[in-house]
């Protein structure tokens, strides 16, 4: 994956990137929760299609965005395959593997899971790519009046995501320079990737510990603070909030009209 995937990019200069960070956060959470609560493929499909159209209108290229996040797409596909294999089998058999099978019902559940996952991934990536961490912290603290520790944790997490991806690439290059991973088969690559992931986890824990000590030493979260910047709002923020509500209403409404709407607890 590109080292600049979560770094400064053209998305921050787009129409969507100019929105208030807090509004984008709320819109993202609403779309994610709406996708989590349903389990039928119709509402998930409508939601994903409307998201693709909406993000295209506001200056994003959703297909390119998802292509840049190809590991996530692989994870979504593997999740769909697992669901198709493990859920209760209903309907006619489509594929029979002897010890297991995929039926029409299990395939529908797998497709629904993949569509829901994409409907959650797309707004999440759009939010992360187009949002400056400092703007998010200012909005969460001044507009939503959230506790300082929560705000600072969110700010640090968003800022460190790009660093983790950069360190992942650095670790990979260092291992290749030492001759690790060259000429390996699939199992060897999995083993090498697991070792690299463990090294990244160790670095993340160390970085998080150092960051926590540094922030505590500087008095973050101990009292009232002054603000260098005040978050601004515009009509565009209202337009996007309304658009998110329309996407959810259309997805649920179409599925309800077709009689296919199913919530997670049903």
């Amino acid at each position: 994956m590109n080292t600049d995937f979560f770094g400064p990019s053209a998305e921050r200069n787009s129409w969507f990137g100019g929105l208030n960070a807090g509004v984008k956060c709320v819109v993202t959470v609403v779309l994610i929760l709406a996708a989590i609560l349903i389990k039928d493929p119709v509402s998930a499909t409508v939601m994903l299609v409307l998201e693709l159209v909406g993000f295209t209108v506001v200056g994003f290229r959703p297909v390119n965005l998802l292509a840049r996040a190809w590991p996530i797409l692989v994870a979504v596909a593997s999740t769909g395959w697992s669901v198709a294999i493990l859920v209760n089998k209903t309907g006619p058999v489509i594929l029979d593997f002897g010890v297991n099978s995929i039926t029409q019902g299990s395939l529908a559940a797998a497709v629904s899971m993949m569509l829901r996952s994409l409907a959650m991934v797309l707004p999440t990536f759009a939010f992360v790519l187009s949002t400056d961490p400092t703007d998010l912290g200012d909005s969460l603290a001044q507009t939503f009046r959230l506790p300082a520790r929560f705000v600072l944790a969110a700010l640090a997490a968003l800022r460190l995501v790009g660093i983790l991806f950069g360190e992942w690439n650095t670790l990979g290059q260092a291992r290749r320079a030492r001759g690790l991973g060259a000429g390996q088969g699939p199992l060897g690559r999995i083993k090498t990737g697991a070792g690299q992931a463990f090294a990244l986890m160790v670095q993340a824990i160390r970085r998080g510990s150092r960051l926590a000590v540094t922030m505590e030493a500087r008095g973050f979260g101990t009292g009232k603070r002054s603000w260098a910047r005040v978050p601004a709002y515009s009509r565009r923020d209202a337009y996007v909030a309304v658009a998110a509500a329309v996407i959810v209403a259309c997805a649920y409404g179409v599925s309800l009209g077709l009689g296919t709407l199913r919530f997670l607890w049903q």
Side-chain angles (χ1 to χ4, degrees), residues 38-45 108 112 116 251 255 260-263:
I38 54 176
K39 65 178 183 180
D40 64 284
V42 174
S43 53
T45 301
S112 176
R116 289 166 56 204
S255 184
T260 60
L261 182 62
R262 295 291 183 274
F263 289 100

Side-chain angles (χ1 to χ4, degrees), residues 188-213:
R189 292 180 181 178
I190 292 175
K191 183 178 179 180
T192 300
Q196 186 172 332
F198 180 77
L200 181 65
M201 183 184 69
V202 172
Q203 288 192 15
I205 293 174
R206 290 176 178 174
R207 186 181 296 276
S209 300
R210 291 195 300 267
L211 181 62
V213 173

Side-chain angles (χ1 to χ4, degrees), residues 9 11-12 14 16-18 24 60 125-132:
S9 60
E11 283 81 4
R12 291 189 182 178
S14 66
F16 188 75
K24 288 189 289 185
F60 271 80
F125 280 167
F127 167 71
V128 173
L129 282 172
S130 65
T131 304
D132 181 80

